[in-house]
């Protein structure tokens, strides 16, 4: 699995005018966890992904599922 930054998450968070700390408090994790997810250094649980999506009014597809590359 490649380690890539989650820019879609960061952009959605910024669009909602939330800091990493504010989003972290809303979903019940540390600011560091949000930073690690955005930097691609942490693989969040499905329940955390869902909580983040709810806070940002996005779907799992919007934020977490990678597009399938043509093979």
């Amino acid at each position: 699995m490649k380690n890539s930054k989650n820019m879609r998450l960061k952009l959605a968070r910024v669009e909602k005018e939330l800091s990493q700390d504010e989003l972290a408090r809303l979903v019940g994790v540390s600011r560091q966890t949000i930073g690690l997810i955005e930097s691609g250094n942490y693989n969040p649980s499905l329940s955390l992904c869902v909580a983040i999506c709810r806070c940002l009014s996005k779907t799992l597809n919007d934020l977490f599922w990678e597009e399938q590359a043509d093979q």
Side-chain angles (χ1 to χ4, degrees):
M1 182 177 169
K2 70 179 180 178
N3 198 19
S4 61
K5 291 185 179 183
N6 192 332
M7 293 305 296
R8 293 178 291 172
L9 171 56
K10 183 174 182 176
L11 289 172
R13 177 179 58 76
V14 171
E15 284 176 2
K16 286 280 194 175
E17 299 182 354
L18 293 172
S19 67
Q20 286 182 347
D21 188 56
E22 290 167 326
L23 178 58
R25 279 188 274 132
L26 288 170
V27 299
V29 298
S30 70
R31 183 212 48 85
Q32 290 83 354
T33 299
I34 299 299
L36 288 169
I37 296 168
E38 288 182 359
S39 69
N41 293 313
Y42 182 79
N43 189 14
S45 67
L46 182 57
S47 61
L48 178 53
C49 291
V50 169
I52 290 170
C53 287
R54 284 186 179 142
C55 284
L56 298 178
S57 302
K58 299 288 183 181
T59 67
L60 289 168
N61 287 339
D62 292 337
L63 300 181
F64 294 103
W65 293 174
E66 288 189 34
E67 296 292 326
Q68 292 294 323
D70 292 335
Q71 296 184 13

